[in-house]
Amino acid sequence: MKPFGAAVFAASLLLVACGGESPGGSGASSPASPASRQALETAFTPASLERLDAAMARPVSRGDVPNLSYGLLHEGEIVLQGFHGTRTQGGTEPVNEDTLYRIYSMTKPITGVAMLMLYEDGLWSPDDPVTDHIPELADLQVLQSDGTLAPASRPPTVGELLNHTAGFTYGNRGDAANRAFLEARVLGSSSLDVMAEKLADVPLLFEPGEGWSYSVATDLQGLIIERLSGQTLGAFFEERIFAPLGMDSTGFYVEAADQSRLSDLVNPGAGGAAASVNSSPAMTYARQHVGLEAGGSGLVSTLSDYQKFITMLAGSGTLDGVRLLQPETVQMMVTDRVGDAPRNARNRAYRMKAGRGYGVNVGVVTNARRLGWDAPTGTWHWYGAAGTWFWHDPVNNITFIGMIQSSPPPEGNLMEDAMDAVYDAYKR
């Protein structure tokens, strides 16, 4: 593991915000704030920003999703926000900055920040065996190439939990280890303690440190946070992250009074027709239907809240005078910590994609040319299963966050579409 002419554009958008129709259907785009107009004038072309907004409206106008919200920031200032479509499928209420989205794996960076806050508190070390904090995992087995099991040569370390090199599964492959994960209903556990008990009987995919596999490791981080802090994961998040940053609408539950703010989650279905799948009680995130405060996937948030979180990280751990992490700790988080060695040559299905690495709960671009992205090497990013995404480009200090609710997401890659449009608009 490594050591740890803008005025014309603004006026046209103001017309939209005051009731004019936005490109692609119902919704609105917001002009830059006065504080960020200088950034817009010097860094972006107005016509290209209009094309960016039109590109982000397109999935809504095509009927792929009922809505899409996005925010573009430069030098920590909001350059442009767009809110396209309606909160519910076939509804009339437009989405806005208060619309709630299920962010799924975009929970992971928040869990990473929580872990690193406890690291700065001196409560764990990257070299700690995970059994120091989760003794239930003392007798892990490793799946062998012939399908048999053998005892792990050592426990995974906490550091390996942070970058998915510990060997745990996620139920997203067809091998025996992933089947055991699904059969145990690990993610259906009633608590993080019960989850650990179930994982004790699920074999690792490989010896700790010998591969990379996206996994339930982030949920185990959540359990470590609970045990070190003496709080539930949600209480720790609220006290140490959400309240200090003013993230008033982020949490594991959607209370009855806020259900009317929750976006529909849709399934594209046959022929591309989007159909709401909100009939499942679990999709409401009502308190009585949430069993597990999952550090890997459990949060609901808004565009404005998540912008605050990413802006804090992009600001080296501080937002509006509130510091959550030291700059060197943030740098540790957003630096590739996988490297070239642990690629698990025995099972190529779990190798890292060329040009991409992984830090602490975020993906890191290690070679933009090999990856084929417009965002440069050093960019950090992640996604959520229902189509939310973000990236931060530290070279040009550009942040972009997009939110939809579709499972699976529509065909194509909205993050890369947004990247194309953003860097077309940016004057480099």
Side-chain angles (χ1 to χ4, degrees):
M1 192 166 180
K2 297 179 180 178
F4 210 48
V8 174
F9 181 62
S12 70
L13 291 183
L14 185 60
L15 174 65
V16 172
C18 292
E21 186 177 7
S22 67
S26 114
S29 299
S30 303
S33 67
S36 66
R37 283 180 184 156
Q38 182 62 36
L40 188 153
E41 290 173 358
T42 59
F44 295 91
T45 64
S48 292
L49 282 175
E50 288 181 341
R51 289 194 292 273
L52 164 63
D53 186 65
M56 293 296 92
R58 204 165 294 129
V60 177
S61 62
R62 286 196 306 252
D64 294 343
V65 289
N67 63 67
L68 185 151
S69 300
Y70 73 88
L72 169 65
L73 296 86
H74 183 241
E75 304 287 354
E77 296 283 352
I78 297 172
V79 173
L80 185 64
Q81 288 183 325
F83 302 96
H84 294 285
T86 55
R87 185 181 65 81
T88 58
Q89 181 73 3
T92 58
E93 178 191 351
V95 288
N96 57 37
E97 63 181 9
D98 293 323
T99 301
L100 293 168
Y101 290 88
R102 306 157 189 85
I103 63 171
Y104 289 106
S105 284
M106 277 167 52
T107 302
K108 288 179 169 70
I110 294 175
T111 303
V113 165
M115 281 291 291
L116 291 173
M117 293 174 86
L118 294 174
Y119 170 77
E120 289 189 345
D121 291 344
L123 296 180
W124 63 268
S125 166
D127 294 328
D128 287 349
V130 70
T131 47
D132 285 0
H133 306 284
I134 311 176
E136 294 95 323
L137 303 179
D139 298 310
L140 293 171
Q141 302 277 303
V142 179
L143 180 66
Q144 305 298 300
S145 57
D146 61 1
T148 61
L149 300 179
S153 60
R154 62 171 176 82
T157 65
V158 175
E160 288 163 344
L161 288 185
L162 299 179
N163 60 21
H164 292 299
T165 59
F168 290 102
T169 61
Y170 222 174
N172 56 352
R173 301 279 181 176
D175 54 67
N178 278 283
R179 289 197 301 273
F181 182 96
L182 292 174
E183 289 166 3
R185 299 190 68 251
V186 172
L187 294 179
S189 301
S190 58
S191 70
L192 293 173
D193 294 295
V194 171
M195 181 196 70
E197 293 170 5
K198 291 181 178 181
L199 276 174
D201 296 323
V202 176
L204 300 177
L205 292 165
F206 43 78
E207 286 284 352
E210 291 190 1
W212 186 92
S213 179
Y214 194 55
S215 73
V216 75
T218 317
D219 298 291
L220 290 172
Q221 293 174 39
L223 177 56
I224 292 173
I225 292 165
E226 290 196 341
R227 292 182 175 179
L228 290 179
S229 70
Q231 298 175 281
T232 66
L233 187 60
F236 184 92
F237 282 173
E238 177 61 29
E239 179 182 318
R240 298 287 298 271
I241 299 175
F242 300 156
L245 296 183
M247 295 172 65
D248 302 332
S249 298
T250 303
F252 287 111
Y253 312 103
V254 179
E255 305 298 349
D258 292 317
Q259 286 291 324
S260 62
R261 297 169 55 195
L262 189 60
S263 171
D264 265 4
L265 175 66
V266 301
N267 185 311
S276 173
V277 293
N278 280 1
S279 56
S280 166
M283 291 299 99
T284 68
Y285 282 61
R287 191 174 291 267
Q288 66 268 29
H289 300 306
V290 177
L292 191 69
E293 293 188 350
S297 61
L299 290 174
V300 172
S301 190
T302 63
L303 178 70
S304 56
D305 268 14
Y306 210 81
Q307 279 179 170
K308 293 174 184 177
F309 175 74
I310 296 300
T311 304
M312 175 276 297
L313 281 178
S316 297
T318 187
L319 176 71
D320 297 334
V322 175
R323 178 167 295 284
L324 297 193
L325 292 174
Q326 294 301 314
E328 58 270 24
T329 308
V330 175
Q331 191 57 44
M332 177 170 60
M333 179 173 180
V334 301
T335 299
D336 174 39
R337 305 186 67 73
V338 176
D340 294 326
R343 297 294 183 171
N344 191 22
R346 178 175 62 79
N347 189 339
R348 292 179 179 271
Y350 297 103
R351 294 183 67 177
M352 186 76 71
K353 185 176 180 180
R356 179 182 290 163
Y358 201 82
V360 174
N361 295 2
V362 293
V364 181
V365 178
T366 57
N367 190 316
R369 184 182 296 274
R370 293 187 71 185
L371 192 57
W373 280 10
D374 289 336
T377 296
T379 294
W380 40 273
H381 66 285
W382 209 240
Y383 323 81
T388 57
W389 77 91
F390 78 87
W391 83 83
H392 176 72
D393 160 5
V395 176
N396 301 296
N397 207 349
I398 290 173
T399 301
F400 193 95
I401 301 166
M403 293 190 170
I404 63 169
Q405 296 284 263
S406 177
S407 182
E411 291 185 9
N413 189 316
L414 285 175
M415 188 175 89
E416 292 186 12
D417 291 346
M419 243 179 225
D420 291 343
V422 165
Y423 290 101
D424 281 346
Y426 183 56
K427 299 176 186 176
R428 285 186 272 190

